[in-house]
Amino acid sequence: MAKMNLLQAVNDALRLEMRRNPDVVVLGEDVGKFGGVFRATQGLFDEFGGDRVIDTPLAEGGVIGAALGMSLYGLKPVPEIQFADFIYPAMDQIVNEVAKYRYRSGGQYACPMVIRTPYGGGIRGGHYHSQSPESLFIHTAGIKVVVPSNPYDAKGLLLSAMRAEDPILFMEPKRIYRAASGEVPEGDYTVPLEKAAVVREGQDVTVIAWGAMFHEAQEAVTQAAEQGIDCELIDLRTLWPVDIDTLAASAQKTGRVVVVHEAARTCGFGAEIVSLIQERCFVHLEAPLKRVTGYDTPFPYTLENDYLPRAPRILEGIVETARFEP
Amino acid sequence: MAKMNLLQAVNDALRLEMRRNPDVVVLGEDVGKFGGVFRATQGLFDEFGGDRVIDTPLAEGGVIGAALGMSLYGLKPVPEIQFADFIYPAMDQIVNEVAKYRYRSGGQYACPMVIRTPYGGGIRGGHYHSQSPESLFIHTAGIKVVVPSNPYDAKGLLLSAMRAEDPILFMEPKRIYRAASGEVPEGDYTVPLEKAAVVREGQDVTVIAWGAMFHEAQEAVTQAAEQGIDCELIDLRTLWPVDIDTLAASAQKTGRVVVVHEAARTCGFGAEIVSLIQERCFVHLEAPLKRVTGYDTPFPYTLENDYLPRAPRILEGIVETARFEP
Amino acid sequence: MLASDKASRDPRLPLKPEDVQAPDVLRVLRPDGTADPRHDPRVEQKDLLALYRLMLLNRALDERMVTLQRQGRVGFYIGSIGEEAAVLGSAFVMRRNDWLFPAYREHGATLMRGMPLQRFLCNMFGNREDPVRGRQMPCHETWAPGNIGSISSPLATQLPHAVGVAWAARLKKKDDVALAYFGDGSTSTNEFHTAMNFAGVFKVGTIFFCRNNQWAISVPLSKQTASESLAIKAQAYGMPGVRVDGNDLLAVIAATRAAHQRAREGQGPTLVEAITYRVRGHSTSDDPRAYRKDDEVKPWEELDPIKRLLGHLLHLGIWTEQEDAAVRKDIEEEIREATAAVENLPPPELESMFDDVFAKRPWHLEEERQQALSRR
Amino acid sequence: MLASDKASRDPRLPLKPEDVQAPDVLRVLRPDGTADPRHDPRVEQKDLLALYRLMLLNRALDERMVTLQRQGRVGFYIGSIGEEAAVLGSAFVMRRNDWLFPAYREHGATLMRGMPLQRFLCNMFGNREDPVRGRQMPCHETWAPGNIGSISSPLATQLPHAVGVAWAARLKKKDDVALAYFGDGSTSTNEFHTAMNFAGVFKVGTIFFCRNNQWAISVPLSKQTASESLAIKAQAYGMPGVRVDGNDLLAVIAATRAAHQRAREGQGPTLVEAITYRVRGHSTSDDPRAYRKDDEVKPWEELDPIKRLLGHLLHLGIWTEQEDAAVRKDIEEEIREATAAVENLPPPELESMFDDVFAKRPWHLEEERQQALSRR
Ligand SMILES: Cc1ncc(C[n+]2csc(CCOP(=O)(O)OP(=O)(O)O)c2C)c(N)n1
Ligand SMILES: Cc1ncc(C[n+]2csc(CCOP(=O)(O)OP(=O)(O)O)c2C)c(N)n1
Ligand SMILES: [Mg+2]
Ligand SMILES: [Mg+2]
């Protein structure tokens, strides 16, 4: 075991897998000598050389498009999009190409890859260094979406992702790159994809979160406990395909659900979770399913802490949901 | 009054507004001499000339980006994306630029425009001539989304859109470009944005639809009536901002809701509608809110009629929802 | 101070057949049927005859499919009439281990690389034996055994894939080359720029093969770019750009060979601009009379690549008019038989719709599949 | 056959200061402080002095903001140290009715076009008087009264906007010109290609002004493109591309003037490559020692644009060392005062977060606003 923060855990996973699998290549803007603007790829260029740790020209569509070709040829590319906010120039390649390649070729080809990207607010990044676009990709058939909330999961999920057969969007909560730290095994291990973690069991309200907001939710859950509200706290880890059994079981037990995310509310992933749960657990529900989310505005700079659904707002949502009487 | 199909209604609106407002320009691939691959802009080149009806090079991002600049300068651009499936090369311009320009400039600038695009399946178009990407844009703060289902609305809504102060994505259901036909006033009139139409009042189940699927829903509603199920049928017309009052009032009355869309289910706009309604009408609900939608696969060619949520599947959803007993 | 100051033709005018005779355009086949010995790629006679037969097959197939589409038997068709030399000449140069990324007109290349005609036709009908399982429109065939990439409607998206493949080959110490086809209109796309730039920077073995057929649906080349030529765009990426008479099979082979050799030897990518002309509509959905005059088309029809190769074969004395008539009849028959064999195959099974989204079906697709099946 | 066959420098090597002396690079200021009369734009003396002062202000502002950022008083800063001549020389040419689309280093241009220093600083603090209402990061100022477009982090997205503005002007029978700034790295983006191509085809009055500072964060120019130069990329779009010594204020003015004249007169767009060097880190978030050696930087510091202009002013005898020292002190004071005046202004009001998403607040934003306010 070693103490690592989330960034180090990502870096460790990349290094281990590159040692284990010579087909893994890392590519993106500034990922080489510099080791990435957040230093997630630090040291990889020195260890594996410029053929496997590749600084690309400034074009996200080229990064993903070339990665697709590499993948067809049998490499396992791990492209990085420097900030999730800059993923749109690659949108066509991701949505129309990567996600559909297996399907549209009748299964003749596949293009597994792990697209890593730091996402989310809370680092004073304003409109373009704060976005959480996960729901756009969840809506896209053919790509999976994974978000770790702690170093242990980050390493184990990333290792799983790099061994998976499908394209995966691996979104890293940059706000807690350094703040989230903990014990992480030094060698190889995996955390299963498509399994949520029930981090706290409880009887009254199910609270669902992921990434950086998981920690806000956790804080709110602790405070709720002080008010006598016993929450079940779920960290999704894989957003899609979501671990529906865990969600449904919990919602059936508590009958009350709060979903938290920092993306804008409208058509955010919260809406899908709400819909899935009410479809499955209707008769068990004792309160409206509650969403506590970012607002439907671009992500603001100065007021970012008001924009983000932080613990106090989540607590409010929990209390409202717990107290709801039809 | 004149008999027009939906395509002619769109064409008529464009022509009328170009006559009325010299600042309106139409631009896109093949919109000029050819009049568009669906002929929506037919005759405009001849009437208004190449300065106002502009064939562009083959780059959707350039079409939208240039339109933004034109809008800043005081023109009212009406760019066309030839198929909604090809909107992704313009994703960055739409999501990061057009939608945020007013906000991020502190209101110093605005870039109203109407982005027209044919969308949806049912024309044997396979993966890339069938998509319904509305939810990606509904998730994006700063752009409105409008979808007509008939010629009268198409003309009236498009005229409203071209006079609005915000960027609007105007999605045209190409499957019914010619099939939907009806009486349309010949001169100027508008249909209000952000107002749904209650096309049929009913007591048992609220059915919500738009675009081409509205007609499938209507057929299902008629068949349901034969089985004694009295549906309230709502045509959204503007998807976002959605006419929440109309939806909530209807859901409160019926307590049972079916939402229909052809986009894939997961994170489709149906999820948002479900969430909004259950947040507002929880105590009135007598059955789970039901989504009848496209499947979570890329849009298939041969099996498109199985993919689309056509009347029989909608009817099934209506019956299931009507009969649901907690 | 100006980087560009040499006199040249006005890019705002359409290309004329005479322009193909410009000194910077590689030509081999002369009007009299002889080959310019300076550039003749010296293709073996049996290959020449095979290529000629394939051009005829390609042409006959295109004509037949358009007819089937008109008869409502096929949903859509997009072919390469008049562009067969560009497609087949370039594909001919590529080795078995090389990769091809077609746009959507290169069915001849797919057949050359081993896709059986019947399987190709299954794709036309989108039936159960369609290699892409009826999922895409006709003319979006995929044939992995021939290293043919998956065809996508969004234009030019295959260009960075061809870069990635050639790049990966180099990283794996192979000399495999990847060739991507695209049209003149596609040079305006994001992906053209990105793929060319990446290929230039990383010196990968990709051949960018542009079928400059001078139209993008209704938009003529002169409205697509103001550059002097398409080949000149290569300079922006530090790679050579070559122009070739795209209706001249031998010239196409010669130009592609040079590019192929560069690629194989690690000298990097090449842009090949094959000048040709789209003598028909864009696809079965198009009617070109709405935007261009027939008399613009006529002179290009004179340069028909099949006629020109036939002239050469006759000149060489390795082919006769009688053989020609016979083989054309054979081909018609071959297509008719293959069509008859597959036209009535059943559509894909409903449950197949839920396969291949992912390697394994997750719960939600399993659920949707069950629902769909229960409805049957 | 090859479109590109002339010998040239290897684009895989970094540019050296000597390269700026190449014959195709426009220079005016000579090492001895004289101006090359062949290209001297003959700027009026009062304008020269004003430009010099603005360069000093720009430099001092950059230095000061970096300090404030280190002290935690400002969240982020990105400046133009060493690139002032490129920014200010080009902006100087633009008329009041023209439009500027900055990347994010052109604060000097914004100030030149009338944004009060205090308002600019309000943007640094993201406070209530920030013209963009605290919504964007520092250095994303907007100033509509000066026809300065809104700054966006996504690179090069402003390029098609500049095309659209110039195009619209022409459609409205105006001769307004739009100039867009961007970096060398940004030439790899989708939008560079698209905007250049549209501008070329429609011959719009846009000036593409590339600050080639040779770095894109940690990625050097040599890894960004394999082309011989950036200016040469203009050929791909049928427009002239010019190279200019970007640290030479007079040369930048001369080159931009020529481009401006073309634009105004309906002759179309120009690409200007201003060769300069990013002598500091990319922004306050960067540490360049992680990827480049200091001794690469040194020779470029010798070419500092302020030093060079000062040499010229002294040579002309219109400026003295004493005046120089005094004005530098004034500027420090001006910045200090302006900072003090705005640093403690309150943040934007919570409810302002819900404005300007649309022209009017729809129900959902009204609802969210109410919820947010009730929580206060
Ligand atoms: C991204 C994208 N935009 C628009 C289209 C619609 N479209 C299909 S083919 C075509 C013209 C293509 O022209 P070109 O690249 O010259 O190829 P050609 O068909 O002439 O071979 C257009 C605009 C598309 N398929 N993809
Ligand atoms: C689309 C996009 N991708 C990535 C980034 C992250 N990024 C910010 S600045 C920068 C380098 C820009 O280099 P260049 O264009 O040369 O401009 P310079 O900063 O040198 O002036 C990068 C990669 C971004 N802002 N936008
Ligand atoms: Mg073409
Ligand atoms: Mg730079």
Side-chain angles (χ1 to χ4, degrees):
Chain A
M1 286 288 195
K3 195 157 170 93
M4 288 186 195
N5 62 30
L6 205 154
L7 201 51
Q8 291 163 329
V10 164
N11 185 265
D12 199 38
L14 291 169
R15 178 176 293 104
L16 283 180
E17 192 62 7
M18 291 190 81
R19 285 183 187 155
R20 203 186 69 88
N21 180 357
D23 286 333
V24 173
V25 295
V26 162
L27 66 164
E29 297 154 11
D30 304 293
V31 301
K33 219 175 192 180
F34 189 36
V37 295
F38 289 102
R39 324 311 293 266
T41 56
Q42 192 159 27
L44 302 182
F45 181 88
D46 287 339
E47 180 168 349
F48 303 104
D51 272 2
R52 293 183 64 198
V53 184
I54 305 164
D55 273 330
T56 65
L58 213 164
E60 290 75 12
V63 173
I64 303 298
L68 195 164
M70 289 174 162
S71 180
L72 292 181
Y73 198 83
L75 296 183
K76 172 70 92 171
V78 185
E80 175 181 300
I81 301 291
Q82 199 165 85
F83 286 84
D85 318 57
F86 305 141
I87 204 163
Y88 308 105
M91 196 75 186
D92 198 30
Q93 282 292 336
I94 298 175
V95 169
N96 271 341
E97 301 297 314
V98 171
K100 297 182 175 45
Y101 217 93
R102 182 192 289 272
Y103 194 80
R104 79 179 195 213
S105 68
Q108 294 182 62
Y109 289 113
C111 56
M113 68 174 71
V114 182
I115 304 174
R116 290 183 43 251
T117 190
Y119 85 97
I123 61 154
R124 310 210 73 189
H127 285 25
Y128 299 115
H129 297 79
S130 308
Q131 296 177 27
S132 299
E134 63 271 12
S135 77
L136 309 190
F137 301 97
I138 296 172
H139 186 51
T140 302
I143 187 161
K144 297 181 175 180
V145 182
V146 174
V147 184
S149 75
N150 61 66
Y152 180 90
D153 284 351
K155 178 171 169 182
L157 288 168
L158 184 50
L159 283 167
S160 292
M162 290 188 286
R163 295 166 194 179
E165 296 171 274
D166 296 306
I168 292 176
L169 180 64
F170 193 87
M171 300 176 68
E172 300 168 5
K174 60 177 163 326
R175 185 197 191 197
I176 55 169
Y177 258 158
R178 292 189 172 81
S181 108
E183 292 296 318
V184 174
E186 292 187 50
D188 197 324
Y189 70 94
T190 56
V191 169
L193 301 175
E194 299 169 48
K195 276 302 297 162
V198 180
V199 178
R200 181 192 198 277
E201 296 194 8
Q203 300 300 320
D204 300 339
V205 178
T206 299
V207 178
I208 301 166
W210 59 86
M213 289 307 106
F214 170 78
H215 299 277
E216 298 290 336
Q218 195 163 35
E219 195 182 321
V221 162
T222 308
Q223 289 166 12
E226 287 163 17
Q227 297 186 28
I229 304 172
D230 181 25
C231 293
E232 178 138 312
L233 177 62
I234 299 179
D235 180 356
L236 284 186
R237 304 199 293 197
T238 294
L239 304 197
W240 198 255
V242 74
D243 182 354
I244 188 68
D245 294 338
T246 298
L247 294 191
S250 181
Q252 270 165 31
K253 179 173 67 173
T254 63
R256 295 169 195 263
V257 177
V258 173
V259 196
V260 180
H261 61 67
E262 50 182 303
R265 183 187 68 178
T266 302
C267 278
F269 187 40
E272 182 59 39
I273 295 176
V274 164
S275 299
L276 288 172
I277 292 178
Q278 70 86 32
E279 282 161 7
R280 276 159 186 73
C281 312
F282 184 75
V283 296
H284 300 278
L285 293 180
E286 292 162 29
L289 296 134
K290 176 86 188 165
R291 296 181 287 172
V292 183
T293 70
Y295 294 116
D296 285 304
T297 73
F299 197 100
Y301 174 69
T302 306
L303 298 175
E304 70 172 342
N305 282 324
D306 293 291
Y307 181 92
L308 288 170
R310 293 194 313 151
R313 253 168 82 193
I314 301 171
L315 180 61
E316 239 179 76
I318 292 172
V319 171
E320 182 191 314
T321 304
R323 304 235 170 105
F324 182 87
E325 284 177 35
Chain B
M1 286 287 196
K3 196 159 169 93
M4 288 186 194
N5 63 29
L6 205 151
L7 201 51
Q8 290 162 329
V10 164
N11 185 265
D12 199 38
L14 291 169
R15 177 175 295 102
L16 283 181
E17 191 63 7
M18 291 189 81
R19 285 184 189 154
R20 202 188 68 91
N21 179 358
D23 287 332
V24 173
V25 295
V26 162
L27 67 163
E29 297 154 10
D30 303 293
V31 300
K33 216 175 193 178
F34 190 35
V37 295
F38 290 101
R39 325 309 293 267
T41 56
Q42 193 159 25
L44 302 182
F45 181 87
D46 287 338
E47 180 167 349
F48 303 103
D51 271 1
R52 293 183 64 198
V53 185
I54 306 164
D55 273 330
T56 65
L58 213 163
E60 290 74 11
V63 174
I64 302 300
L68 195 164
M70 290 174 162
S71 180
L72 291 181
Y73 199 83
L75 296 183
K76 173 69 95 171
V78 185
E80 174 181 301
I81 300 291
Q82 199 165 84
F83 287 83
D85 318 59
F86 304 140
I87 205 165
Y88 307 106
M91 197 76 187
D92 199 29
Q93 283 292 337
I94 299 175
V95 169
N96 272 341
E97 301 297 314
V98 171
K100 296 183 175 45
Y101 217 92
R102 182 192 289 272
Y103 194 79
R104 78 178 196 216
S105 67
Q108 294 182 63
Y109 289 113
C111 55
M113 67 174 72
V114 181
I115 304 174
R116 290 182 44 249
T117 189
Y119 86 96
I123 61 154
R124 310 209 73 189
H127 286 24
Y128 300 114
H129 298 79
S130 308
Q131 296 178 28
S132 300
E134 63 270 12
S135 78
L136 309 189
F137 301 97
I138 296 172
H139 185 52
T140 301
I143 186 160
K144 298 181 176 180
V145 182
V146 174
V147 184
S149 74
N150 61 65
Y152 180 90
D153 284 351
K155 179 172 169 185
L157 288 168
L158 184 51
L159 283 167
S160 292
M162 290 187 287
R163 297 167 192 180
E165 296 171 274
D166 296 305
I168 291 176
L169 180 65
F170 192 87
M171 299 176 68
E172 300 168 4
K174 60 177 165 321
R175 185 198 191 196
I176 55 169
Y177 258 156
R178 293 189 173 79
S181 105
E183 293 297 318
V184 174
E186 291 186 50
D188 198 325
Y189 69 94
T190 56
V191 170
L193 300 175
E194 299 169 44
K195 275 302 297 164
V198 180
V199 178
R200 179 191 198 279
E201 296 195 8
Q203 300 301 321
D204 300 341
V205 178
T206 300
V207 178
I208 302 166
W210 59 87
M213 290 307 106
F214 170 79
H215 299 276
E216 297 289 337
Q218 195 163 34
E219 193 180 322
V221 162
T222 308
Q223 289 166 13
E226 289 163 16
Q227 297 185 29
I229 304 172
D230 182 24
C231 293
E232 179 138 313
L233 177 61
I234 299 179
D235 180 356
L236 284 187
R237 304 198 294 194
T238 294
L239 304 197
W240 199 254
V242 75
D243 181 355
I244 189 67
D245 294 338
T246 298
L247 294 190
S250 181
Q252 270 166 31
K253 177 172 69 173
T254 63
R256 296 168 194 265
V257 177
V258 174
V259 196
V260 180
H261 61 70
E262 50 181 303
R265 185 187 66 179
T266 302
C267 278
F269 186 42
E272 182 59 40
I273 295 177
V274 164
S275 299
L276 288 173
I277 292 179
Q278 70 87 32
E279 281 161 8
R280 276 159 185 74
C281 313
F282 184 75
V283 295
H284 302 278
L285 293 180
E286 292 162 31
L289 296 135
K290 176 86 188 167
R291 296 180 287 172
V292 183
T293 70
Y295 295 115
D296 285 303
T297 73
F299 197 101
Y301 174 70
T302 306
L303 299 175
E304 70 172 342
N305 282 325
D306 293 291
Y307 181 93
L308 287 170
R310 293 193 311 150
R313 254 168 82 193
I314 301 171
L315 179 62
E316 238 179 76
I318 292 172
V319 171
E320 183 191 313
T321 303
R323 304 235 169 105
F324 182 87
E325 284 177 36
Chain C
M1 197 168 104
L2 298 192
S4 149
D5 50 7
K6 57 176 141 87
S8 65
R9 54 172 293 283
D10 183 348
R12 283 177 180 78
L13 298 176
L15 280 172
K16 294 243 157 57
E18 303 87 85
D19 292 320
V20 183
Q21 295 171 33
D24 67 329
V25 180
L26 180 70
R27 299 178 88 198
V28 175
L29 286 176
R30 295 166 170 150
D32 62 2
T34 60
D36 181 340
R38 291 171 306 164
H39 302 296
D40 185 355
R42 290 168 223 283
V43 177
E44 282 186 40
Q45 294 191 345
K46 74 165 176 21
D47 287 339
L48 263 192
L49 292 173
L51 278 162
Y52 179 68
R53 189 185 195 282
L54 209 45
M55 283 170 83
L56 291 178
L57 173 68
N58 198 350
R59 174 74 53 97
L61 185 63
D62 282 2
E63 299 279 18
R64 186 95 191 107
M65 290 304 112
V66 170
T67 307
L68 291 200
Q69 196 277 340
R70 293 232 176 86
Q71 296 169 349
R73 291 156 68 188
V74 150
F76 169 84
Y77 194 73
I78 185 159
S80 55
I81 292 182
E83 305 182 36
E84 295 91 347
V87 171
L88 293 171
S90 51
F92 173 68
V93 172
M94 302 298 283
R95 299 161 302 173
R96 180 167 277 278
N97 53 308
D98 293 329
W99 288 63
L100 255 66
F101 287 86
Y104 43 64
R105 293 193 194 279
E106 296 80 5
H107 313 307
T110 310
L111 297 176
M112 184 193 279
R113 292 179 73 86
M115 187 179 200
L117 183 57
Q118 287 198 11
R119 295 302 295 279
F120 176 79
L121 290 167
C122 288
N123 175 256
M124 289 307 115
F125 297 111
N127 64 29
R128 200 166 293 181
E129 296 297 321
D130 172 8
V132 305
R133 307 182 77 179
R135 290 185 183 139
Q136 289 220 67
M137 288 173 76
C139 302
H140 289 66
E141 72 271 12
T142 302
W143 191 245
N147 285 356
I148 299 275
S150 162
I151 295 178
S152 176
S153 317
L155 291 160
T157 49
Q158 72 279 14
L159 271 55
H161 307 165
V163 172
V165 161
W167 193 352
R170 210 201 37 218
L171 297 179
K172 291 200 162 211
K173 315 267 181 268
K174 298 279 173 61
D175 74 350
D176 301 352
V177 173
L179 182 148
Y181 290 103
F182 56 101
D184 47 307
S186 300
T187 60
S188 296
T189 61
N190 296 339
E191 256 91 356
F192 171 77
H193 182 58
T194 306
M196 292 283 288
N197 192 40
F198 274 57
V201 169
F202 296 105
K203 264 198 157 188
V204 305
T206 303
I207 302 172
F208 294 91
F209 194 95
C210 180
R211 288 181 291 88
N212 177 5
N213 66 12
Q214 306 184 49
W215 290 92
I217 310 184
S218 75
V219 180
L221 179 59
S222 55
K223 286 196 182 169
Q224 200 63 246
T225 177
S227 72
E228 278 172 43
S229 72
L230 296 178
I232 206 178
K233 290 178 186 278
Q235 291 200 27
Y237 312 100
M239 70 172 85
V242 306
R243 306 183 85 194
V244 58
D245 179 343
N247 287 4
D248 174 340
L249 184 84
L250 300 185
V252 170
I253 291 174
T256 312
R257 258 201 199 146
H260 190 267
Q261 182 167 348
R262 276 178 50 80
R264 230 168 45 220
E265 293 177 353
Q267 293 174 59
T270 306
L271 170 62
V272 180
E273 174 189 356
I275 302 172
T276 175
Y277 192 89
R278 202 196 73 210
V279 293
R280 298 291 174 88
H282 170 74
S283 71
T284 50
S285 316
D286 183 35
D287 175 9
R289 274 162 310 176
Y291 51 80
R292 77 177 180 197
K293 299 217 181 68
D294 281 350
D295 41 320
E296 189 192 319
V297 183
K298 285 273 156 52
W300 287 98
E301 281 174 343
E302 297 308 306
L303 293 177
D304 184 88
I306 293 183
K307 273 195 219 156
R308 284 170 72 189
L309 186 61
L310 175 60
H312 183 54
L313 298 181
L314 295 174
H315 165 85
L316 290 178
I318 60 175
W319 194 243
T320 64
E321 301 277 7
Q322 293 86 317
E323 285 172 306
D324 202 56
V327 90
R328 285 175 194 255
K329 250 188 78 191
D330 282 2
I331 284 172
E332 291 295 341
E333 194 49 35
E334 185 184 342
I335 296 172
R336 207 181 330 267
E337 271 173 20
T339 307
V342 306
E343 183 166 7
N344 296 315
L345 289 177
E349 274 143 351
L350 179 59
E351 51 266 50
S352 76
M353 185 156 67
F354 304 93
D355 296 342
D356 300 326
V357 180
F358 296 108
K360 297 188 192 68
R361 246 190 328 272
W363 66 267
H364 67 291
L365 285 166
E366 186 54 38
E367 198 177 278
E368 292 179 3
R369 176 170 171 271
Q370 295 299 343
Q371 284 165 6
L373 287 177
S374 74
R375 203 162 288 124
R376 270 268 162 103
Chain D
M1 196 167 105
L2 298 193
S4 149
D5 50 7
K6 58 177 139 90
S8 65
R9 54 173 294 282
D10 183 347
R12 283 178 179 78
L13 297 176
L15 280 172
K16 295 244 159 52
E18 301 89 83
D19 292 319
V20 183
Q21 295 171 34
D24 67 330
V25 180
L26 179 71
R27 299 178 87 197
V28 174
L29 285 176
R30 295 164 171 153
D32 63 1
T34 61
D36 181 339
R38 289 171 306 163
H39 302 296
D40 185 355
R42 291 170 223 280
V43 177
E44 280 184 40
Q45 293 191 345
K46 74 165 176 21
D47 286 339
L48 263 192
L49 291 174
L51 277 163
Y52 179 67
R53 190 185 195 281
L54 209 44
M55 283 170 84
L56 291 179
L57 174 69
N58 197 350
R59 175 74 55 95
L61 185 64
D62 282 2
E63 298 280 17
R64 185 94 191 109
M65 289 305 112
V66 170
T67 306
L68 291 199
Q69 196 277 339
R70 293 232 177 86
Q71 295 169 350
R73 291 157 69 189
V74 150
F76 169 85
Y77 195 74
I78 186 159
S80 56
I81 292 184
E83 305 182 36
E84 295 91 347
V87 171
L88 294 170
S90 51
F92 172 68
V93 171
M94 302 298 283
R95 300 162 301 174
R96 181 168 275 277
N97 53 308
D98 294 328
W99 287 62
L100 256 66
F101 288 86
Y104 43 64
R105 294 192 193 280
E106 297 80 6
H107 314 308
T110 311
L111 296 176
M112 183 191 279
R113 292 179 72 87
M115 187 178 201
L117 183 57
Q118 287 197 12
R119 295 301 296 280
F120 176 79
L121 290 167
C122 288
N123 176 255
M124 289 305 115
F125 297 111
N127 64 31
R128 200 167 292 180
E129 296 298 321
D130 173 9
V132 304
R133 307 183 79 178
R135 290 184 183 141
Q136 288 220 66
M137 288 173 76
C139 302
H140 289 66
E141 73 270 12
T142 302
W143 191 246
N147 285 356
I148 299 274
S150 160
I151 295 178
S152 175
S153 316
L155 290 160
T157 49
Q158 73 279 15
L159 270 56
H161 307 166
V163 171
V165 161
W167 193 351
R170 211 202 34 220
L171 297 179
K172 291 198 162 215
K173 313 271 182 263
K174 299 279 173 60
D175 75 350
D176 301 351
V177 173
L179 182 149
Y181 290 104
F182 55 101
D184 46 307
S186 300
T187 61
S188 297
T189 61
N190 297 339
E191 256 91 356
F192 171 77
H193 182 58
T194 306
M196 293 281 289
N197 192 40
F198 274 57
V201 168
F202 297 103
K203 263 196 156 190
V204 304
T206 302
I207 302 173
F208 295 91
F209 193 96
C210 180
R211 288 181 290 89
N212 176 5
N213 66 10
Q214 306 185 48
W215 289 92
I217 307 184
S218 76
V219 179
L221 179 59
S222 56
K223 285 194 180 169
Q224 200 63 247
T225 177
S227 73
E228 277 170 42
S229 73
L230 297 178
I232 206 176
K233 290 177 186 280
Q235 292 199 27
Y237 311 101
M239 71 173 83
V242 305
R243 306 183 84 195
V244 57
D245 179 343
N247 287 3
D248 174 339
L249 183 83
L250 299 185
V252 170
I253 291 174
T256 311
R257 263 205 196 141
H260 190 266
Q261 182 168 348
R262 275 177 51 80
R264 230 168 46 221
E265 293 177 354
Q267 294 174 57
T270 305
L271 171 63
V272 179
E273 174 189 357
I275 303 173
T276 175
Y277 193 89
R278 201 196 73 212
V279 293
R280 297 290 173 87
H282 170 74
S283 71
T284 50
S285 315
D286 183 35
D287 174 9
R289 275 163 310 178
Y291 52 80
R292 77 177 180 197
K293 299 216 183 66
D294 281 349
D295 41 320
E296 189 191 319
V297 183
K298 284 272 155 52
W300 288 97
E301 282 175 343
E302 297 308 306
L303 294 178
D304 184 86
I306 293 184
K307 272 194 220 156
R308 285 171 71 190
L309 185 61
L310 175 60
H312 183 56
L313 298 181
L314 295 175
H315 165 85
L316 290 178
I318 60 172
W319 194 242
T320 65
E321 301 277 7
Q322 292 88 314
E323 285 172 304
D324 202 56
V327 91
R328 285 175 194 255
K329 250 188 81 193
D330 281 2
I331 284 172
E332 291 295 340
E333 194 48 34
E334 184 183 344
I335 296 172
R336 208 181 329 267
E337 270 173 23
T339 308
V342 306
E343 183 165 8
N344 296 316
L345 289 177
E349 273 143 350
L350 179 59
E351 50 268 49
S352 75
M353 184 154 72
F354 304 93
D355 296 342
D356 300 327
V357 179
F358 296 108
K360 298 187 192 66
R361 246 190 329 273
W363 65 269
H364 66 292
L365 285 165
E366 187 53 40
E367 197 177 280
E368 293 180 2
R369 176 171 170 269
Q370 296 299 345
Q371 283 165 8
L373 287 176
S374 72
R375 202 163 289 123
R376 270 267 162 103

